[in-house]
Amino acid sequence: MVLIKVSQDFVLAFAGGVLFGYGVYRLFISKIFAQKKLIDEKIELEKLILEEFLKENEANFTNEGIKEKEFKSLFNFKLSEFKSANAFEFKKFKLYDVLFKDEKNRFFVGVLFISQIPLQNDKMLSQDEFYSLKTPKKFSTAVKFIQGKACLIKTRINPFFIHLHLSLEQNKNALMQNLAQLEKLINT
């Protein structure tokens, strides 16, 4: 049997390497947990602000969107893809996040507004005209396609999206302005 003589320097270097590795590992893991905690707190804060706004306006929120079959009963589009999420239910209307691609590969991102009464169409757009219009960066009801009680509104952002870089008051004001734009669709 051959015994390998381990030097004292090797043992110290090995122990130092293990301690250094453990320290780096702990630092890395603690950063990941801190980031996850911040993300969770951000989501919770967004929920609280939104819940307060909805409570003030006697509205409800669910994560479930409109079913494709129900959407097709409102609009006679031939779709190749369809996704929907986040339903906001107010007294006079419902609002859903929707995105879809039609048979001509035209892509739509925005919200579906469903009123309890037929909507007035101040600007009659064809489907082609509607798809060709640019999507506004901020929420606006300017680019819309109305059919009966339903309205597709092109937008990159949900009207009830919470901006954490804004104060609570600024968020509430933005939410109220967006709600007023939606209610204006019914009242015109």
Side-chain angles (χ1 to χ4, degrees), residues 1-98:
M1 246 205 274
V2 177
L3 292 173
I4 299 175
K5 192 172 184 184
V6 179
S7 72
Q8 190 177 17
D9 292 338
F10 176 76
V11 171
L12 287 174
F14 182 75
V18 168
L19 287 173
F20 179 76
Y22 178 74
V24 168
Y25 173 77
R26 291 285 296 174
L27 180 66
F28 181 70
I29 294 298
S30 66
K31 259 190 175 179
I32 289 174
F33 283 127
Q35 288 173 346
K36 184 176 176 356
K37 185 177 178 186
L38 283 174
I39 290 170
D40 290 346
E41 288 174 357
K42 175 186 169 231
I43 291 169
E44 190 62 32
L45 182 59
E46 288 172 348
K47 279 183 182 178
L48 288 172
I49 294 171
L50 183 60
E51 284 174 1
E52 183 179 331
F53 170 76
L54 293 174
K55 194 183 300 180
E56 287 174 6
N57 292 285
E58 298 174 10
N60 296 314
F61 169 78
T62 61
N63 288 326
E64 289 186 31
I66 190 169
K67 305 282 187 245
E68 186 173 353
K69 185 178 179 181
E70 189 178 345
F71 179 82
K72 285 182 177 180
S73 72
L74 298 168
F75 295 97
N76 54 357
F77 296 163
K78 291 185 172 101
L79 306 176
S80 61
E81 284 182 43
F82 179 83
K83 292 182 184 174
S84 178
N86 300 338
F88 295 90
E89 190 172 341
F90 290 81
K91 285 181 183 178
K92 297 180 181 178
F93 66 88
K94 291 180 183 177
L95 191 77
Y96 301 94
D97 288 332
V98 292

Side-chain angles (χ1 to χ4, degrees), residues 136-178:
K137 290 183 181 179
K138 292 185 176 184
F139 179 76
S140 168
T141 58
V143 183
K144 60 187 176 286
F145 182 78
I146 297 174
Q147 196 165 349
K149 294 180 180 182
C151 176
L152 286 171
I153 302 168
K154 269 188 157 183
T155 181
R156 293 181 186 167
I157 189 164
N158 184 296
F160 303 119
F161 179 77
I162 306 300
H163 300 277
L164 289 180
H165 65 276
L166 299 176
S167 71
L168 179 62
E169 260 329 289
Q170 290 171 321
N171 266 305
K172 282 186 175 182
N173 289 338
L175 294 171
M176 289 305 291
Q177 288 173 357
N178 293 343

